[in-house]
Amino acid sequence: MLVSHILKSKGSEGVVTTPPGVSVAQAAEILSSRKIGALVISKDGKTLGGIVSERDIVREIGRRGSACLNDTVDSIMTARVVTCALTDQTDAVLQKMTDGRFRHIPVVEGTQLIGLISIGDVVKARLSELAMEKDALEGMIKGF
Ligand code: AMP
């Protein structure tokens, strides 16, 4: 299965982004209200500046306490973001996530951000693929 199939099945949700200058507290509020685990940091909503996940916020609170909530989100984001393309296979994306120990990956085309998939999206897609394979195999066996 391709990344493009996952994005299509997610519909037109778009990617939740925020500019680099917002505070860590505001980023946490967005994660909470949008019920998501990671936020793409982008100055224009189209290009990728970094990513901040709930783990970054929890780690910083653990290190420095609530003082970090007033800092700007770009001070705690991951700037070197691993990305994938629409034409990538989901198995390869899962491998990237496993190797890098992260659960979110932006989908880019050139310099443009076009989507974001989570490990949950990939697992869901893989499970439905396995269910289809199982049905096809059962159909073949019953057909004999
Ligand atoms: P996550 O598992 O997605 O909550 O992220 C765990 C850590 O990896 C956090 O420090 C994130 O900022 C970072 N991270 C998340 N997604 C990516 C990505 N696609 N590329 C690089 N780092 C990432």
Side-chain angles (χ1 to χ4, degrees):
M1 187 181 282
L2 299 176
V3 166
S4 58
H5 293 138
I6 296 187
L7 279 194
K8 206 178 280 175
S9 71
K10 285 182 73 171
S12 53
E13 282 171 27
V15 187
V16 183
T17 68
T18 193
V22 306
S23 68
V24 173
Q26 284 172 303
E29 195 281 318
I30 297 169
L31 291 177
S32 166
S33 62
R34 302 297 293 261
K35 298 186 172 59
I36 52 175
L39 195 52
V40 169
I41 311 303
S42 170
K43 57 184 185 331
D44 55 10
K46 295 180 196 123
T47 49
L48 185 63
I51 193 164
V52 72
S53 92
E54 53 203 359
R55 282 198 189 166
D56 297 313
I57 297 177
V58 169
R59 188 194 56 226
E60 216 50 34
I61 291 173
R63 270 190 199 154
R64 298 177 36 225
S66 59
C68 74
L69 294 173
N70 297 319
D71 294 353
T72 56
V73 75
D74 53 309
S75 67
I76 68 159
M77 74 182 185
T78 300
R80 289 173 65 111
V81 184
V82 178
T83 61
C84 67
L86 280 174
T87 50
D88 284 348
Q89 291 286 343
T90 48
D91 284 353
V93 170
L94 204 48
Q95 193 64 55
K96 279 185 180 179
M97 288 175 160
T98 307
D99 293 344
R101 294 168 186 262
F102 48 77
R103 298 164 296 174
H104 302 88
I105 192 161
V107 186
V108 296
E109 225 168 21
T111 58
Q112 299 296 294
L113 177 67
I114 50 172
L116 183 131
I117 56 179
S118 72
I119 202 160
D121 297 325
V122 182
V123 169
K124 188 174 160 204
R126 189 71 187 112
L127 285 177
S128 81
E129 204 173 37
L130 285 172
M132 280 191 296
E133 283 170 15
K134 177 178 165 282
D135 287 349
L137 284 172
E138 278 177 0
M140 280 167 65
I141 291 164
K142 284 175 189 158
F144 276 113

